[in-house]
Amino acid sequence: RGVNKTDEAINVYDAINKISPNARAFLNKGVCLYSINMKDLAIANYDLALRLNQNYTEAYFNKGICLSNINKKEEAIEAYGKVIQLNPNDITAYLQRAHCFYSIGKIRYALQDSNRVIEMNANVPEAFYRRGLCYEKMERISEAVLEYDKVIELILNDSRERTTAINDLLYDAYFSKGFCLRRQRLYDDAIKAYLHCVDINRNNEVAYFQIGI
């Protein structure tokens, strides 16, 4: 049923573009195609939107998401760079670009983007998490632990209802903290961190396994 509704929406956007090509219609069609896992076609529609509007940050951003998901990280970095060029205060673009830089081993650039987000807004837990991952790769383990503690602090002190994504981030922060503490041979503290993971997700066997090591 969801696919049928998506097909209907795609037909509507095609009809709009047949009458008069419209950047928003191409963008929305791309979003629909992405939702049914037709990522290459989605990218093609984002490109059509960008031909009509070269300053369309939303099209660049969505193109970056698609490219990242099909493991074209360097092209995704370029797309996020366009977003940042047009809007230097776009925190989400910096976070996504940091993720891509990290994924291809460009840790210094990932760290720079994470730092930029924190400079703009020191209440974004994802930025501290990404910075923690960078510190781990750089063997700055004690600093990584502090970053994960900051993630945990920000999430636990936020009175808003937690989304699934935020709960997942909290789990990841505790898990990464536990891994770092284990590397420091602080085994009791590592177990405490992994137990928090279990509290968040009792069905994830990975944390249980780490406790048992």
Side-chain angles (χ1 to χ4, degrees), residues 12 57 70 76 90 142 213:
V12 168
T57 56
I70 61 175
D90 193 315
S142 296
I213 290 178

Side-chain angles (χ1 to χ4, degrees), residues 17-61:
N17 286 322
K18 188 173 182 180
I19 297 166
S20 178
N22 180 283
R24 185 73 197 181
F26 282 120
L27 174 78
N28 289 345
K29 182 181 176 182
V31 171
C32 289
L33 290 164
Y34 177 81
S35 74
I36 56 175
N37 208 32
M38 299 179 72
K39 296 184 177 69
D40 287 332
L41 284 175
I43 291 168
N45 276 271
Y46 297 140
D47 282 336
L48 288 169
L50 289 166
R51 283 186 197 175
L52 295 171
N53 181 357
Q54 294 180 358
N55 296 322
Y56 203 172
T57 56
E58 197 173 348
Y60 282 120
F61 184 84

Side-chain angles (χ1 to χ4, degrees), residues 70-87:
I70 61 175
N71 212 30
K72 293 185 176 181
K73 302 295 185 186
E74 293 190 355
E75 291 179 51
I77 287 167
E78 184 178 345
Y80 294 131
K82 289 285 189 181
V83 177
I84 292 164
Q85 182 181 339
L86 293 164
N87 181 7

